[in-house]
Amino acid sequence: KEAVRFYRLAAERGHSSAQYNLGLCYKKGTGVEKDEKEAVRLLRLAAEQGHITAQCNLNDWRYQKGNGVWNYASFILILLLAFIFRPTAWFNSSK
């Protein structure tokens, strides 16, 4: 809960990493009550500032829910980087 308090203070001041981390807290219900709308709002704020991990999380979340992706450019970039740095993951059929 202490971390959530500090994330919230920094997020309110526009710190993208704090917005991202607080968004994850709301997404998972860590230190706060689980709230997907608030999680998406915070992740979007971070993503709009160029926070690449927030962009990936939004894309992944929207894709899993069948809503397409939030930002195609970041989605393609992440896929490309994943293929370059972990090519064997693309061909691993076990999960």
Side-chain angles (χ1 to χ4, degrees), residues 20-79:
Y20 167 73
N21 285 312
L22 186 56
L24 290 184
C25 289
Y26 276 103
K27 181 179 179 183
K28 298 175 183 177
T30 306
V32 293
E33 189 172 325
K34 192 173 182 177
D35 183 342
E36 287 192 358
K37 285 185 180 184
E38 183 63 6
V40 168
R41 185 186 77 78
L42 289 160
L43 289 173
R44 181 168 285 141
L45 286 174
E48 288 171 351
Q49 292 183 71
H51 194 287
I52 192 72
T53 313
Q55 292 174 359
C56 294
N57 269 272
L58 277 175
N59 283 336
D60 185 50
W61 204 353
R62 286 183 52 83
Y63 183 76
Q64 287 178 14
K65 292 189 176 281
N67 296 324
V69 294
W70 176 74
N71 180 314
Y72 285 103
S74 66
F75 183 68
I76 297 301
L77 175 63
I78 295 309
L79 289 178

Side-chain angles (χ1 to χ4, degrees), residues 78-88 90-91:
I78 295 309
L79 289 178
L80 180 62
L81 291 173
F83 183 74
I84 290 170
F85 292 105
R86 298 234 11 228
T88 56
W90 290 83
F91 306 106

